Amino acid sequence: MFFPLSKLLYFLVTPSNALALLVLLGIGLATGGWLRSGLWIGGLAAMFLLVAGLSPLPVLIALPLEERFPAFVDDGAPVTGIIVLGGAIETRLSADRGQLLLNDAAERQVAMADLARRYPQSRLVFTGGSGSLGGSKASESEIVGRYADTMGLPRTRLILEDRSRNTRENARFTADMVKPQPGERWLLVTSAWHMPRAIGCFREAGFAVTAYPVDYRTGGWRDVLHVNAFASEGLALLDIVTKEWFGLVAYRLSGYTDALLPAPQASSGAGAAAPSR
């Protein structure tokens, strides 16, 4: 039940959807004889677009997420495995067009190929099924396996988890598959703005991982001084981070994480506990 409800919630809280609904409401009121109310709603929608699209507001909301976990620095400790979360692959388009098609989180796949080369003895895990309510012709893991050569991934080292539909299932199913042992070091690759929730889910699954954030959407705190050249840029970022904050709240209330905004732990870079659930 959580999965379909989360999809509905994300649809309702996405700012661009809210803007579209405001516009439709304004048109409906104006054409229904409520001209003044329709104009007020239209003005509210215009103000929303201005603030959300052109101002630094989206950056201010994104930065606490992206700055929560620092960029990974190789300290020479051995890396047992690399875990990459799905979310970068357009499964339906890839299946329909017969080629690998990525979205704007493609850095996850780039990092996977790079880390596979840098740590040739490590295990490679990709976790991602189909996040579509209506299903898909292929899971993300299936697409990764199909186009491993295109991405420069060694097939003999690939471990593909294809059942998960969300971040919680990414963590639980991956822990069940790889069975991490104490003292192992596993790198977790996902978007910087998604890292806190991902880390929280892996901790709840009893799997200690080291954050390897990629796919940054801001350049740091200096970006709060910038104004977007196009409203669509700011609105796109606001859509992403608003849904992520709601995801953090929903996961915390559901007990999927132990904190609203999980933070780094002193021991997160070294050991790994056996899965507890």
Side-chain angles (χ1 to χ4, degrees):
M1 182 63 69
F2 180 87
F3 180 66
L5 285 178
S6 67
K7 291 293 185 180
L8 176 61
L9 175 65
Y10 286 163
F11 175 83
L12 294 175
V13 302
T14 299
S16 60
N17 289 341
L19 176 62
L21 292 174
L22 278 175
V23 171
L24 290 176
L25 178 59
I27 293 174
L29 289 173
T31 57
W34 298 81
L35 180 59
R36 180 174 296 181
S37 297
L39 291 176
W40 271 105
I41 295 295
L44 182 62
M47 184 178 297
F48 180 89
L49 178 62
L50 181 66
V51 173
L54 299 179
S55 78
L57 176 64
V59 173
L60 287 170
I61 297 176
L63 280 169
L65 299 173
E66 293 202 333
E67 297 293 314
R68 193 64 165 173
F69 287 84
F72 175 75
V73 177
D74 191 344
D75 58 6
V79 174
T80 304
I82 297 152
I83 303 166
V84 180
L85 299 192
I89 297 173
E90 296 289 347
T91 54
R92 183 184 64 82
L93 293 178
S94 295
D96 288 344
R97 296 297 184 179
Q99 59 180 269
L100 178 65
L101 295 171
L102 304 176
N103 58 32
D104 53 3
E107 289 87 346
R108 300 187 191 187
Q109 300 307 130
V110 174
M112 187 175 191
D114 179 51
L115 291 171
R117 174 187 58 81
R118 288 167 54 190
Y119 302 103
Q121 304 305 317
S122 65
R123 300 164 71 184
L124 298 176
V125 181
F126 180 87
T127 168
S130 173
S132 172
L133 283 175
S136 175
K137 292 182 178 179
S139 68
E140 285 196 72
S141 289
E142 183 180 340
I143 298 296
V144 168
R146 188 183 305 173
Y147 295 102
D149 296 336
T150 301
M151 291 182 280
L153 298 174
R155 293 179 180 274
T156 55
R157 292 164 57 197
L158 273 180
I159 301 172
L160 301 176
E161 184 286 301
D162 63 358
R163 295 185 298 144
S164 57
R165 300 170 299 171
N166 55 35
T167 308
R168 182 204 185 204
E169 292 180 353
N170 286 148
R172 297 186 68 185
F173 296 162
T174 299
D176 289 342
M177 286 185 69
V178 305
K179 295 178 172 53
Q181 300 301 311
E184 293 181 340
R185 187 186 215 182
W186 291 81
L187 303 184
L188 178 65
V189 179
T190 190
S191 301
W193 47 267
H194 181 56
M195 188 61 74
R197 183 154 58 108
I199 290 287
C201 289
F202 273 79
R203 286 176 183 165
E204 278 298 295
F207 196 159
V209 291
T210 299
Y212 193 100
V214 296
D215 181 32
Y216 287 89
R217 304 303 174 99
T218 71
W221 287 102
R222 64 181 179 274
D223 278 8
V224 300
L225 301 176
H226 296 169
V227 176
N228 294 315
F230 301 98
S232 59
E233 294 179 1
L235 198 57
L237 177 58
L238 188 63
D239 279 352
I240 291 171
V241 296
T242 299
K243 290 193 294 183
E244 188 59 26
W245 276 107
F246 271 91
L248 282 164
V249 172
Y251 271 48
R252 180 69 189 98
L253 293 176
S254 301
Y256 297 166
T257 59
D258 62 356
L260 176 62
L261 188 63
Q265 293 178 345
S267 61
S268 63
S276 60
R277 59 189 80 211

